[in-house]
Amino acid sequence: GCEESANCITETDREAVATAAQRVAGMLQRSDQLDKVEQYRRREARKKASVEARLKAAIQSQLDGVRTGLCQLHTALLDVKSIQGSLADVSKDWRQSINTIENLKDVKEAVVQHSQLASAVENLKNIFSVPEIVRETQELIEQAELLQAHRKLMDLECSRDDLMYEQYRLDSRNTHDMNLIRNYFGEVQGLSEELAKQLWMVLQRAIVTVRRDPTMLVSVVRIIEREEKIDRRMLDRRRQTGFIPPGRPKAWKEHMFQVLEGTVCTRIEGTQSETRESDKMWLVRLLEITRKYVLDDLTVVKNLMVQCFPPHYGIFRIFFDLYHRALSARIQELAAEDLEANEIVSLLTWVLNTYTSIEMMGHPELAAECDINELEPLLPQDMVDELLHKYIQTISSNITGWLRKALETDKKDWKRDTEPDADQDGYYQTSLPAIVFQMFEQNLQVAAQINETFKEQVLHLCLKQMTSFLQRYREETVVYKDEHLKYRQLPQCYVQYMIAIINNCQTFKESVNSLKKKYSLTTEPTQNDAAIDRTLSEVAKDGCQFLLDEVFLDLEHHLSELLTRKWLGGCHAVDTICVTVEDYFNDFARIKKPYNTEMTSEAHRRVVVEYIKAVMQKRITFKNADERKAGADRMIKEAEQFKTLFGKLSGEDTDRLCDSITAIAEVFKLTDPSLLYLEVSTLVSKYPDIREEHVLALLAVRGDANRDMRQTIIETLNQSKVSVAAITQPIFRDITVPTIASMAVPKLLK
């Protein structure tokens, strides 16, 4: 080992010498560094001295540490020896005390008895005075001194519970002694129940009590809080010992909330004082009273009652939820009843709108405490849908009945001897459109109270009902006309009421558009709109036709005189026709546009067509040129009369129709038969819908066209015939030329 150590030292010396030589070589590489050799030597000597000093200090420190460690080890050794001796003494003493511990059982029993006696002594005063305290407590309860009564009750219960606990510790199976204590304090349980009744009575009247005497409510809450603390303490002891006094836990706080819930339900149910039999508006009154009571009660809770309860109760939110649940139950009961249509709307409007509005749960005073958006709906959606469906069914049936009744009433007016009323512009009308749309308006206003979607459904229902109603309206108009034709003198105001019926169609159209604009969210036309427009146009068109039929029934005799020998001799048939038409159109002026304009045009067309029909019926055959000229001049004059009449009635150009009469007159007036073809050609070019039989009829009336001439004219016209498909105002198209056979048929059978 010494050799290895020596070798290590020698090796280290060699490495040190080599390192030193290398460092010296590095310092003395240049000749000018030789001048600094002494300086280098001194610097290295200082470094060496510094390193040696540090080494000495480190070695000295290690030596001191070793010395200290040795001292501590020596001390520890002495302590171990001392402890070893002490343990031996303890072991010796323990062996000697085993017998002594077994002799201490008697002492333990004495300690338990002492504890029981100490508890008995402590409660001795209360034990002897139990009957007196019970009596005092009873009197305090009767005097409504609830806090003092509860203090005495707690003393009694404390004495009883402590005695029963000590007996339980002594011998939990000794039921005889436990029952003895329980029976001695038997009246205490009754006092507790009596006090509880008083508490519940105060809580049942809490909304009223808090306004008059809030201290009473505060006392009740304090008593309940005390009992809650005792309950918690007794439950903790049961977990530790298994013992709990009789009647615990009382859970008065839980029962308090049950009482408050019952109180709220009673207040909600107690708002109904009317029934449908006694008051048709019973539901509206009930809902309004309920709204007022709930708002008033919750305002009292927020402003007064909250101060009577500990903040952690969150009593306002509790009451808010209690009222919501009670209302929900009550509203569901009402919804299950056999409600009428108006009652369904009242209920749903209240549930969906009033309840969450600022008039009730959304009131500014309440909104700061509770968010109404967090509330569950008062009525489940399926019940809401069921009520809406029932309302739609009921209102649909009602509307059908109302419309039928309105039409029956209007029909009675049609038979009156007095003219119908006129609007501010003088147009005849009946009250039917106003009644119908007032009814629709009322139903839509009611539906709008519920929500937009339901309002749209009711509007759709109204328009659907309107469609079927107008079909009945049209049918009744036809019946009205048919009844009149059986005896034309009755009703006296047939024309005026038929005018009113026509005008009603325009009013109906305007009212439908107004209704849609006011109550519909969409402007898109529906299937009902098209049906309503179509039916109204048909009713108005029928009405106009019926009135024109009435006119031409009066003109029938005068029209039959046209183009006859009597006419040629100078009768005044056309004068009478013009006077009669103008007289009728004085009444027709009370027809609204566009029906008025259409009717004037149709009357004009029909007069001209009837005139031409008279020509085509070949009632007269002119015997000579003088008759032809006289007849033609008369036709031209009468065409001017018609032109003047209808120009006056319509204020429009009436030339084309009346000129057809003039054009026919020119065919009659022509004196040179050889030019007849040209005249007929001019007529046909003006009125391309004229047919071969028309031309033959005209030639027959003229009376001087032989068979060859007629044949030539017809053949030439057929060769140059033009299409009549594009004619905008055909005149001859619907005019038939009667044959001899058809003219022989009695008129009534035609």
Side-chain angles (χ1 to χ4, degrees), residues 204-234:
Q204 285 167 358
R205 298 194 301 268
I207 297 291
V208 178
T209 303
V210 76
R211 303 185 197 193
R212 188 180 67 247
D213 185 12
T215 56
M216 178 67 78
L217 187 58
V218 172
S219 298
V220 170
V221 175
R222 286 178 62 186
I223 291 169
I224 290 171
E225 278 291 284
R226 287 176 188 170
E227 289 292 341
E228 280 293 300
K229 289 178 182 177
I230 297 171
D231 275 352
R232 287 195 294 271
R233 191 166 67 246
M234 294 301 159

PDB file of all heavy atoms in Angstrom, residues 204-234:
ATOM      1  N   GLN A 204     -99.818  31.140   8.767  1.00  0.00           N
ATOM      2  CA  GLN A 204    -100.954  31.111   7.840  1.00  0.00           C
ATOM      3  C   GLN A 204    -101.478  32.508   7.551  1.00  0.00           C
ATOM      4  O   GLN A 204    -102.015  32.773   6.474  1.00  0.00           O
ATOM      5  CB  GLN A 204    -102.070  30.233   8.408  1.00  0.00           C
ATOM      6  CG  GLN A 204    -101.780  28.734   8.313  1.00  0.00           C
ATOM      7  CD  GLN A 204    -102.719  27.898   9.155  1.00  0.00           C
ATOM      8  OE1 GLN A 204    -103.586  28.438   9.850  1.00  0.00           O
ATOM      9  NE2 GLN A 204    -102.536  26.589   9.136  1.00  0.00           N
ATOM     10  N   ARG A 205    -101.322  33.393   8.515  1.00  0.00           N
ATOM     11  CA  ARG A 205    -101.780  34.786   8.333  1.00  0.00           C
ATOM     12  C   ARG A 205    -100.590  35.716   8.103  1.00  0.00           C
ATOM     13  O   ARG A 205    -100.687  36.924   8.334  1.00  0.00           O
ATOM     14  CB  ARG A 205    -102.555  35.241   9.560  1.00  0.00           C
ATOM     15  CG  ARG A 205    -103.812  34.438   9.850  1.00  0.00           C
ATOM     16  CD  ARG A 205    -104.697  35.142  10.871  1.00  0.00           C
ATOM     17  NE  ARG A 205    -103.995  35.351  12.131  1.00  0.00           N
ATOM     18  CZ  ARG A 205    -104.018  34.510  13.160  1.00  0.00           C
ATOM     19  NH1 ARG A 205    -104.724  33.388  13.064  1.00  0.00           N
ATOM     20  NH2 ARG A 205    -103.348  34.760  14.268  1.00  0.00           N
ATOM     21  N   ALA A 206     -99.469  35.146   7.657  1.00  0.00           N
ATOM     22  CA  ALA A 206     -98.219  35.919   7.580  1.00  0.00           C
ATOM     23  C   ALA A 206     -98.355  37.180   6.735  1.00  0.00           C
ATOM     24  O   ALA A 206     -97.847  38.240   7.108  1.00  0.00           O
ATOM     25  CB  ALA A 206     -97.103  35.036   7.031  1.00  0.00           C
ATOM     26  N   ILE A 207     -99.057  37.061   5.568  1.00  0.00           N
ATOM     27  CA  ILE A 207     -99.179  38.214   4.666  1.00  0.00           C
ATOM     28  C   ILE A 207     -99.903  39.365   5.365  1.00  0.00           C
ATOM     29  O   ILE A 207     -99.572  40.540   5.174  1.00  0.00           O
ATOM     30  CB  ILE A 207     -99.933  37.813   3.381  1.00  0.00           C
ATOM     31  CG1 ILE A 207     -99.144  36.754   2.596  1.00  0.00           C
ATOM     32  CG2 ILE A 207    -100.200  39.022   2.504  1.00  0.00           C
ATOM     33  CD1 ILE A 207     -97.874  37.252   1.985  1.00  0.00           C
ATOM     34  N   VAL A 208    -100.895  39.019   6.192  1.00  0.00           N
ATOM     35  CA  VAL A 208    -101.643  40.044   6.931  1.00  0.00           C
ATOM     36  C   VAL A 208    -100.870  40.468   8.172  1.00  0.00           C
ATOM     37  O   VAL A 208    -100.749  41.663   8.483  1.00  0.00           O
ATOM     38  CB  VAL A 208    -103.033  39.505   7.332  1.00  0.00           C
ATOM     39  CG1 VAL A 208    -103.796  40.539   8.143  1.00  0.00           C
ATOM     40  CG2 VAL A 208    -103.826  39.098   6.095  1.00  0.00           C
ATOM     41  N   THR A 209    -100.317  39.477   8.903  1.00  0.00           N
ATOM     42  CA  THR A 209     -99.621  39.757  10.163  1.00  0.00           C
ATOM     43  C   THR A 209     -98.436  40.684   9.960  1.00  0.00           C
ATOM     44  O   THR A 209     -98.188  41.586  10.766  1.00  0.00           O
ATOM     45  CB  THR A 209     -99.142  38.423  10.793  1.00  0.00           C
ATOM     46  OG1 THR A 209    -100.265  37.575  10.977  1.00  0.00           O
ATOM     47  CG2 THR A 209     -98.453  38.672  12.119  1.00  0.00           C
ATOM     48  N   VAL A 210     -97.681  40.475   8.876  1.00  0.00           N
ATOM     49  CA  VAL A 210     -96.457  41.249   8.675  1.00  0.00           C
ATOM     50  C   VAL A 210     -96.753  42.737   8.488  1.00  0.00           C
ATOM     51  O   VAL A 210     -95.913  43.588   8.768  1.00  0.00           O
ATOM     52  CB  VAL A 210     -95.670  40.689   7.471  1.00  0.00           C
ATOM     53  CG1 VAL A 210     -96.302  41.099   6.148  1.00  0.00           C
ATOM     54  CG2 VAL A 210     -94.212  41.127   7.536  1.00  0.00           C
ATOM     55  N   ARG A 211     -97.953  43.066   8.033  1.00  0.00           N
ATOM     56  CA  ARG A 211     -98.326  44.478   7.882  1.00  0.00           C
ATOM     57  C   ARG A 211     -98.707  45.085   9.233  1.00  0.00           C
ATOM     58  O   ARG A 211     -98.367  46.234   9.513  1.00  0.00           O
ATOM     59  CB  ARG A 211     -99.519  44.610   6.924  1.00  0.00           C
ATOM     60  CG  ARG A 211     -99.289  44.008   5.552  1.00  0.00           C
ATOM     61  CD  ARG A 211    -100.462  44.297   4.641  1.00  0.00           C
ATOM     62  NE  ARG A 211    -100.468  43.417   3.468  1.00  0.00           N
ATOM     63  CZ  ARG A 211    -101.224  43.604   2.413  1.00  0.00           C
ATOM     64  NH1 ARG A 211    -102.041  44.622   2.363  1.00  0.00           N
ATOM     65  NH2 ARG A 211    -101.192  42.769   1.395  1.00  0.00           N
ATOM     66  N   ARG A 212     -99.384  44.268  10.048  1.00  0.00           N
ATOM     67  CA  ARG A 212     -99.900  44.797  11.311  1.00  0.00           C
ATOM     68  C   ARG A 212     -98.882  44.665  12.461  1.00  0.00           C
ATOM     69  O   ARG A 212     -98.693  45.582  13.247  1.00  0.00           O
ATOM     70  CB  ARG A 212    -101.190  44.039  11.658  1.00  0.00           C
ATOM     71  CG  ARG A 212    -101.925  44.618  12.859  1.00  0.00           C
ATOM     72  CD  ARG A 212    -103.194  43.822  13.159  1.00  0.00           C
ATOM     73  NE  ARG A 212    -102.899  42.473  13.625  1.00  0.00           N
ATOM     74  CZ  ARG A 212    -103.183  41.380  12.938  1.00  0.00           C
ATOM     75  NH1 ARG A 212    -103.755  41.465  11.753  1.00  0.00           N
ATOM     76  NH2 ARG A 212    -102.898  40.177  13.415  1.00  0.00           N
ATOM     77  N   ASP A 213     -98.241  43.483  12.548  1.00  0.00           N
ATOM     78  CA  ASP A 213     -97.345  43.224  13.685  1.00  0.00           C
ATOM     79  C   ASP A 213     -96.188  42.339  13.232  1.00  0.00           C
ATOM     80  O   ASP A 213     -96.170  41.129  13.492  1.00  0.00           O
ATOM     81  CB  ASP A 213     -98.138  42.545  14.813  1.00  0.00           C
ATOM     82  CG  ASP A 213     -97.293  42.349  16.067  1.00  0.00           C
ATOM     83  OD1 ASP A 213     -96.196  42.940  16.128  1.00  0.00           O
ATOM     84  OD2 ASP A 213     -97.725  41.605  16.962  1.00  0.00           O
ATOM     85  N   PRO A 214     -95.189  42.924  12.561  1.00  0.00           N
ATOM     86  CA  PRO A 214     -94.075  42.109  12.058  1.00  0.00           C
ATOM     87  C   PRO A 214     -93.274  41.441  13.166  1.00  0.00           C
ATOM     88  O   PRO A 214     -92.637  40.420  12.936  1.00  0.00           O
ATOM     89  CB  PRO A 214     -93.222  43.112  11.268  1.00  0.00           C
ATOM     90  CG  PRO A 214     -93.625  44.454  11.761  1.00  0.00           C
ATOM     91  CD  PRO A 214     -95.038  44.350  12.198  1.00  0.00           C
ATOM     92  N   THR A 215     -93.301  42.001  14.407  1.00  0.00           N
ATOM     93  CA  THR A 215     -92.518  41.398  15.500  1.00  0.00           C
ATOM     94  C   THR A 215     -93.028  39.990  15.813  1.00  0.00           C
ATOM     95  O   THR A 215     -92.241  39.114  16.198  1.00  0.00           O
ATOM     96  CB  THR A 215     -92.600  42.270  16.763  1.00  0.00           C
ATOM     97  OG1 THR A 215     -93.988  42.455  17.112  1.00  0.00           O
ATOM     98  CG2 THR A 215     -91.954  43.615  16.535  1.00  0.00           C
ATOM     99  N   MET A 216     -94.309  39.770  15.666  1.00  0.00           N
ATOM    100  CA  MET A 216     -94.860  38.445  15.909  1.00  0.00           C
ATOM    101  C   MET A 216     -94.249  37.428  14.938  1.00  0.00           C
ATOM    102  O   MET A 216     -93.859  36.322  15.316  1.00  0.00           O
ATOM    103  CB  MET A 216     -96.379  38.474  15.754  1.00  0.00           C
ATOM    104  CG  MET A 216     -97.057  37.122  15.929  1.00  0.00           C
ATOM    105  SD  MET A 216     -96.941  36.497  17.609  1.00  0.00           S
ATOM    106  CE  MET A 216     -98.223  37.499  18.401  1.00  0.00           C
ATOM    107  N   LEU A 217     -94.161  37.824  13.656  1.00  0.00           N
ATOM    108  CA  LEU A 217     -93.577  36.936  12.654  1.00  0.00           C
ATOM    109  C   LEU A 217     -92.094  36.708  12.931  1.00  0.00           C
ATOM    110  O   LEU A 217     -91.584  35.592  12.791  1.00  0.00           O
ATOM    111  CB  LEU A 217     -93.776  37.532  11.255  1.00  0.00           C
ATOM    112  CG  LEU A 217     -93.365  36.658  10.074  1.00  0.00           C
ATOM    113  CD1 LEU A 217     -94.124  35.342  10.079  1.00  0.00           C
ATOM    114  CD2 LEU A 217     -93.593  37.392   8.757  1.00  0.00           C
ATOM    115  N   VAL A 218     -91.406  37.758  13.365  1.00  0.00           N
ATOM    116  CA  VAL A 218     -89.980  37.633  13.710  1.00  0.00           C
ATOM    117  C   VAL A 218     -89.813  36.630  14.849  1.00  0.00           C
ATOM    118  O   VAL A 218     -88.907  35.783  14.829  1.00  0.00           O
ATOM    119  CB  VAL A 218     -89.385  39.003  14.096  1.00  0.00           C
ATOM    120  CG1 VAL A 218     -87.972  38.841  14.649  1.00  0.00           C
ATOM    121  CG2 VAL A 218     -89.374  39.926  12.886  1.00  0.00           C
ATOM    122  N   SER A 219     -90.675  36.706  15.857  1.00  0.00           N
ATOM    123  CA  SER A 219     -90.608  35.775  16.992  1.00  0.00           C
ATOM    124  C   SER A 219     -90.770  34.335  16.517  1.00  0.00           C
ATOM    125  O   SER A 219     -90.043  33.432  16.952  1.00  0.00           O
ATOM    126  CB  SER A 219     -91.699  36.110  18.016  1.00  0.00           C
ATOM    127  OG  SER A 219     -91.514  37.411  18.541  1.00  0.00           O
ATOM    128  N   VAL A 220     -91.725  34.105  15.645  1.00  0.00           N
ATOM    129  CA  VAL A 220     -91.960  32.761  15.113  1.00  0.00           C
ATOM    130  C   VAL A 220     -90.708  32.238  14.411  1.00  0.00           C
ATOM    131  O   VAL A 220     -90.286  31.094  14.615  1.00  0.00           O
ATOM    132  CB  VAL A 220     -93.161  32.773  14.149  1.00  0.00           C
ATOM    133  CG1 VAL A 220     -93.254  31.444  13.393  1.00  0.00           C
ATOM    134  CG2 VAL A 220     -94.450  33.052  14.895  1.00  0.00           C
ATOM    135  N   VAL A 221     -90.105  33.084  13.582  1.00  0.00           N
ATOM    136  CA  VAL A 221     -88.910  32.663  12.844  1.00  0.00           C
ATOM    137  C   VAL A 221     -87.760  32.373  13.815  1.00  0.00           C
ATOM    138  O   VAL A 221     -87.022  31.392  13.640  1.00  0.00           O
ATOM    139  CB  VAL A 221     -88.508  33.750  11.817  1.00  0.00           C
ATOM    140  CG1 VAL A 221     -87.194  33.381  11.138  1.00  0.00           C
ATOM    141  CG2 VAL A 221     -89.607  33.929  10.776  1.00  0.00           C
ATOM    142  N   ARG A 222     -87.609  33.194  14.872  1.00  0.00           N
ATOM    143  CA  ARG A 222     -86.546  32.954  15.857  1.00  0.00           C
ATOM    144  C   ARG A 222     -86.747  31.612  16.561  1.00  0.00           C
ATOM    145  O   ARG A 222     -85.796  30.860  16.787  1.00  0.00           O
ATOM    146  CB  ARG A 222     -86.523  34.091  16.882  1.00  0.00           C
ATOM    147  CG  ARG A 222     -85.945  35.392  16.330  1.00  0.00           C
ATOM    148  CD  ARG A 222     -85.980  36.493  17.360  1.00  0.00           C
ATOM    149  NE  ARG A 222     -85.154  36.164  18.529  1.00  0.00           N
ATOM    150  CZ  ARG A 222     -85.114  36.923  19.637  1.00  0.00           C
ATOM    151  NH1 ARG A 222     -85.872  38.005  19.715  1.00  0.00           N
ATOM    152  NH2 ARG A 222     -84.329  36.584  20.643  1.00  0.00           N
ATOM    153  N   ILE A 223     -87.984  31.321  16.935  1.00  0.00           N
ATOM    154  CA  ILE A 223     -88.284  30.042  17.601  1.00  0.00           C
ATOM    155  C   ILE A 223     -87.925  28.880  16.683  1.00  0.00           C
ATOM    156  O   ILE A 223     -87.286  27.902  17.108  1.00  0.00           O
ATOM    157  CB  ILE A 223     -89.777  29.991  17.995  1.00  0.00           C
ATOM    158  CG1 ILE A 223     -90.052  30.993  19.127  1.00  0.00           C
ATOM    159  CG2 ILE A 223     -90.178  28.587  18.411  1.00  0.00           C
ATOM    160  CD1 ILE A 223     -91.522  31.211  19.407  1.00  0.00           C
ATOM    161  N   ILE A 224     -88.313  28.989  15.414  1.00  0.00           N
ATOM    162  CA  ILE A 224     -88.023  27.906  14.464  1.00  0.00           C
ATOM    163  C   ILE A 224     -86.520  27.743  14.277  1.00  0.00           C
ATOM    164  O   ILE A 224     -86.001  26.619  14.211  1.00  0.00           O
ATOM    165  CB  ILE A 224     -88.736  28.184  13.124  1.00  0.00           C
ATOM    166  CG1 ILE A 224     -90.252  28.022  13.306  1.00  0.00           C
ATOM    167  CG2 ILE A 224     -88.244  27.260  12.023  1.00  0.00           C
ATOM    168  CD1 ILE A 224     -91.086  28.477  12.130  1.00  0.00           C
ATOM    169  N   GLU A 225     -85.788  28.851  14.226  1.00  0.00           N
ATOM    170  CA  GLU A 225     -84.332  28.782  14.100  1.00  0.00           C
ATOM    171  C   GLU A 225     -83.705  28.096  15.316  1.00  0.00           C
ATOM    172  O   GLU A 225     -82.779  27.292  15.185  1.00  0.00           O
ATOM    173  CB  GLU A 225     -83.760  30.189  13.927  1.00  0.00           C
ATOM    174  CG  GLU A 225     -83.842  30.697  12.502  1.00  0.00           C
ATOM    175  CD  GLU A 225     -82.920  29.946  11.565  1.00  0.00           C
ATOM    176  OE1 GLU A 225     -81.693  30.190  11.601  1.00  0.00           O
ATOM    177  OE2 GLU A 225     -83.412  29.092  10.812  1.00  0.00           O
ATOM    178  N   ARG A 226     -84.196  28.422  16.542  1.00  0.00           N
ATOM    179  CA  ARG A 226     -83.690  27.761  17.749  1.00  0.00           C
ATOM    180  C   ARG A 226     -83.902  26.254  17.663  1.00  0.00           C
ATOM    181  O   ARG A 226     -82.997  25.465  17.960  1.00  0.00           O
ATOM    182  CB  ARG A 226     -84.423  28.298  18.987  1.00  0.00           C
ATOM    183  CG  ARG A 226     -84.043  29.700  19.413  1.00  0.00           C
ATOM    184  CD  ARG A 226     -84.939  30.070  20.585  1.00  0.00           C
ATOM    185  NE  ARG A 226     -84.804  31.461  20.983  1.00  0.00           N
ATOM    186  CZ  ARG A 226     -85.617  32.059  21.861  1.00  0.00           C
ATOM    187  NH1 ARG A 226     -86.631  31.368  22.385  1.00  0.00           N
ATOM    188  NH2 ARG A 226     -85.434  33.313  22.201  1.00  0.00           N
ATOM    189  N   GLU A 227     -85.105  25.877  17.260  1.00  0.00           N
ATOM    190  CA  GLU A 227     -85.414  24.452  17.179  1.00  0.00           C
ATOM    191  C   GLU A 227     -84.552  23.748  16.132  1.00  0.00           C
ATOM    192  O   GLU A 227     -84.181  22.587  16.296  1.00  0.00           O
ATOM    193  CB  GLU A 227     -86.901  24.249  16.856  1.00  0.00           C
ATOM    194  CG  GLU A 227     -87.846  24.598  17.990  1.00  0.00           C
ATOM    195  CD  GLU A 227     -87.714  23.640  19.170  1.00  0.00           C
ATOM    196  OE1 GLU A 227     -87.174  22.537  18.995  1.00  0.00           O
ATOM    197  OE2 GLU A 227     -88.136  24.009  20.277  1.00  0.00           O
ATOM    198  N   GLU A 228     -84.236  24.455  15.061  1.00  0.00           N
ATOM    199  CA  GLU A 228     -83.369  23.872  14.043  1.00  0.00           C
ATOM    200  C   GLU A 228     -81.981  23.583  14.611  1.00  0.00           C
ATOM    201  O   GLU A 228     -81.386  22.534  14.338  1.00  0.00           O
ATOM    202  CB  GLU A 228     -83.256  24.830  12.840  1.00  0.00           C
ATOM    203  CG  GLU A 228     -84.435  24.781  11.895  1.00  0.00           C
ATOM    204  CD  GLU A 228     -84.542  23.460  11.162  1.00  0.00           C
ATOM    205  OE1 GLU A 228     -83.612  23.076  10.438  1.00  0.00           O
ATOM    206  OE2 GLU A 228     -85.576  22.786  11.348  1.00  0.00           O
ATOM    207  N   LYS A 229     -81.464  24.511  15.428  1.00  0.00           N
ATOM    208  CA  LYS A 229     -80.141  24.298  16.050  1.00  0.00           C
ATOM    209  C   LYS A 229     -80.182  23.096  16.991  1.00  0.00           C
ATOM    210  O   LYS A 229     -79.256  22.271  17.016  1.00  0.00           O
ATOM    211  CB  LYS A 229     -79.713  25.552  16.807  1.00  0.00           C
ATOM    212  CG  LYS A 229     -79.351  26.718  15.905  1.00  0.00           C
ATOM    213  CD  LYS A 229     -78.972  27.948  16.726  1.00  0.00           C
ATOM    214  CE  LYS A 229     -78.655  29.128  15.816  1.00  0.00           C
ATOM    215  NZ  LYS A 229     -78.354  30.363  16.585  1.00  0.00           N
ATOM    216  N   ILE A 230     -81.246  23.005  17.810  1.00  0.00           N
ATOM    217  CA  ILE A 230     -81.375  21.870  18.737  1.00  0.00           C
ATOM    218  C   ILE A 230     -81.476  20.571  17.943  1.00  0.00           C
ATOM    219  O   ILE A 230     -80.850  19.562  18.296  1.00  0.00           O
ATOM    220  CB  ILE A 230     -82.603  22.055  19.657  1.00  0.00           C
ATOM    221  CG1 ILE A 230     -82.434  23.300  20.530  1.00  0.00           C
ATOM    222  CG2 ILE A 230     -82.807  20.826  20.525  1.00  0.00           C
ATOM    223  CD1 ILE A 230     -83.679  23.678  21.317  1.00  0.00           C
ATOM    224  N   ASP A 231     -82.258  20.582  16.845  1.00  0.00           N
ATOM    225  CA  ASP A 231     -82.362  19.389  15.994  1.00  0.00           C
ATOM    226  C   ASP A 231     -80.991  18.941  15.517  1.00  0.00           C
ATOM    227  O   ASP A 231     -80.648  17.752  15.570  1.00  0.00           O
ATOM    228  CB  ASP A 231     -83.254  19.683  14.779  1.00  0.00           C
ATOM    229  CG  ASP A 231     -84.738  19.496  15.074  1.00  0.00           C
ATOM    230  OD1 ASP A 231     -85.063  18.995  16.160  1.00  0.00           O
ATOM    231  OD2 ASP A 231     -85.563  19.859  14.211  1.00  0.00           O
ATOM    232  N   ARG A 232     -80.183  19.909  15.045  1.00  0.00           N
ATOM    233  CA  ARG A 232     -78.856  19.553  14.533  1.00  0.00           C
ATOM    234  C   ARG A 232     -77.981  18.971  15.638  1.00  0.00           C
ATOM    235  O   ARG A 232     -77.251  17.994  15.428  1.00  0.00           O
ATOM    236  CB  ARG A 232     -78.192  20.794  13.910  1.00  0.00           C
ATOM    237  CG  ARG A 232     -78.782  21.201  12.578  1.00  0.00           C
ATOM    238  CD  ARG A 232     -77.894  22.178  11.852  1.00  0.00           C
ATOM    239  NE  ARG A 232     -77.799  23.456  12.543  1.00  0.00           N
ATOM    240  CZ  ARG A 232     -78.635  24.475  12.344  1.00  0.00           C
ATOM    241  NH1 ARG A 232     -79.648  24.344  11.475  1.00  0.00           N
ATOM    242  NH2 ARG A 232     -78.484  25.613  13.000  1.00  0.00           N
ATOM    243  N   ARG A 233     -78.058  19.566  16.847  1.00  0.00           N
ATOM    244  CA  ARG A 233     -77.254  19.078  17.967  1.00  0.00           C
ATOM    245  C   ARG A 233     -77.664  17.661  18.359  1.00  0.00           C
ATOM    246  O   ARG A 233     -76.822  16.784  18.606  1.00  0.00           O
ATOM    247  CB  ARG A 233     -77.391  20.034  19.161  1.00  0.00           C
ATOM    248  CG  ARG A 233     -76.397  19.748  20.266  1.00  0.00           C
ATOM    249  CD  ARG A 233     -76.310  20.883  21.266  1.00  0.00           C
ATOM    250  NE  ARG A 233     -77.537  21.039  22.039  1.00  0.00           N
ATOM    251  CZ  ARG A 233     -78.336  22.090  21.966  1.00  0.00           C
ATOM    252  NH1 ARG A 233     -78.053  23.078  21.136  1.00  0.00           N
ATOM    253  NH2 ARG A 233     -79.438  22.168  22.711  1.00  0.00           N
ATOM    254  N   MET A 234     -78.955  17.403  18.412  1.00  0.00           N
ATOM    255  CA  MET A 234     -79.443  16.078  18.786  1.00  0.00           C
ATOM    256  C   MET A 234     -79.089  15.022  17.733  1.00  0.00           C
ATOM    257  O   MET A 234     -78.776  13.877  18.063  1.00  0.00           O
ATOM    258  CB  MET A 234     -80.965  16.114  18.985  1.00  0.00           C
ATOM    259  CG  MET A 234     -81.401  16.960  20.175  1.00  0.00           C
ATOM    260  SD  MET A 234     -80.667  16.358  21.703  1.00  0.00           S
ATOM    261  CE  MET A 234     -80.781  17.795  22.754  1.00  0.00           C
TER     262      MET A 234
END
